[in-house]
Amino acid sequence: EDQVTQSPEALRLQEGESSSLNCSYTVSGLRGLFWYRQDPGKGPEFLFTLYSAGEEKEKERLKATLTKKESFLHITAPKPEDSATYLCAVRQLRPRGSTLGRLYFGRGTQLTVWP
Amino acid sequence: DTEVTQTPKHLVMGMTNKKSLKCEQHMGHRAMYWYKQKAKKPPELMFVYSYEKLSINESVPSRFSPECPNSSLLNLHLHALQPEDSALYLCASSQDVLRGNNQPQHFGDGTRLSIL
């Protein structure tokens, strides 16, 4: 069972058309939710860490928010250079026997912004 | 530019070859990771090193052998790989697996591995 689900799988936006990406999670004892951007043939680039419900982080045209069950990545007036795959990952409180430092990744949202 | 450097960027090898992937970071991080990523899939954790000691092996086949010579370097030795091992191999680092467990992992740009 997936612990992190991202939607939509793919999103096409016209330049300037604002939208949101969703990341829902089922892990208990959240110890951080992380957003990454990944360009083709590159490694994931760290964007944000969110720790607790109600927290918000902003960077240029991106704003990430967190509730107890999901996170949103809001993209305001996107540009073609924002085209990438956006990955969400969570780390949970370590129950007995689980692995340290393990991130649970969603499958990502592939964003395309056309001029 | 990423602060985690991986070499080589591309590698093509036969199933009988032995090769190594290298990863280096100079951020003072004490945790380092190997991931495997197939096309249009999220990264899959392979190994975690904490303070130069292997702390996690996600049931990875023995044809993959990790090594952490010091706190800045991480290697992945490859031997007798299969075509299905073709993928992007990503290295990542973070401050600390234990105390700083909320710290993000920073990724390199990976090695694109093709097995013939």
Side-chain angles (χ1 to χ4, degrees):
Chain A
E1 180 183 348
D2 286 351
Q3 295 176 291
V4 182
T5 303
Q6 290 188 247
S7 62
E9 290 186 14
L11 180 63
R12 288 177 55 87
L13 298 174
Q14 188 170 11
E15 183 172 4
E17 179 186 0
S18 302
S19 188
S20 296
L21 312 182
N22 178 263
C23 171
S24 61
Y25 59 93
T26 57
V27 298
S28 59
L30 184 72
R31 282 296 180 266
L33 184 143
F34 306 88
W35 281 100
Y36 289 87
R37 167 195 171 127
Q38 187 171 24
D39 293 295
K42 300 284 189 178
E45 175 190 350
F46 170 69
L47 295 174
F48 302 111
T49 305
L50 300 166
Y51 297 117
S52 56
E55 189 173 2
E56 298 181 353
K57 294 276 182 72
E58 284 190 68
K59 179 180 179 180
E60 297 181 353
R61 295 178 291 283
L62 300 177
K63 179 180 178 179
T65 61
L66 181 65
T67 72
K68 288 186 177 179
K69 293 184 179 180
E70 59 191 348
S71 176
F72 292 94
L73 185 64
H74 308 278
I75 304 177
T76 302
K79 298 181 178 181
E81 53 262 41
D82 294 322
S83 298
T85 296
Y86 290 84
L87 294 167
C88 169
V90 300
R91 181 181 290 133
Q92 68 178 133
L93 178 67
R94 174 181 164 246
R96 182 177 299 179
S98 78
T99 54
L100 294 169
R102 196 186 195 290
L103 289 182
Y104 295 89
F105 278 92
R107 292 176 180 269
T109 293
Q110 185 173 355
L111 174 66
T112 304
V113 183
W114 48 284
Chain B
D1 290 336
T2 179
E3 295 179 84
V4 178
T5 304
Q6 292 189 243
T7 55
K9 293 188 184 301
H10 303 275
L11 180 61
V12 179
M13 58 187 287
M15 289 189 284
T16 58
N17 293 156
K18 287 185 179 181
K19 295 286 185 182
S20 297
L21 310 184
K22 297 185 182 299
C23 174
E24 187 171 6
Q25 58 89 12
H26 293 290
M27 295 180 281
H29 290 172
R30 301 313 299 271
M32 297 186 75
Y33 311 78
W34 280 115
Y35 287 85
K36 173 183 178 179
Q37 187 177 28
K38 302 283 267 185
K40 299 190 182 299
K41 298 289 179 123
E44 300 175 17
L45 183 66
M46 299 175 72
F47 302 103
V48 179
Y49 273 82
S50 177
Y51 291 86
E52 296 98 72
K53 292 185 179 180
L54 183 65
S55 63
I56 297 173
N57 177 339
E58 291 284 317
S59 301
V60 178
S62 60
R63 57 186 184 269
F64 296 92
S65 176
E67 177 197 18
C68 190
N70 60 54
S71 60
S72 300
L73 294 174
L74 187 66
N75 299 322
L76 186 63
H77 303 297
L78 315 173
H79 174 56
L81 295 194
Q82 304 297 309
E84 60 265 29
D85 296 323
S86 298
L88 181 67
Y89 287 84
L90 294 164
C91 174
S93 70
S94 66
Q95 281 190 355
D96 190 315
V97 172
L98 299 175
R99 285 179 302 219
N101 60 1
N102 291 341
Q103 297 303 311
Q105 296 179 16
H106 296 270
F107 287 81
D109 280 338
T111 294
R112 175 71 60 188
L113 177 64
S114 298
I115 307 299
L116 300 178

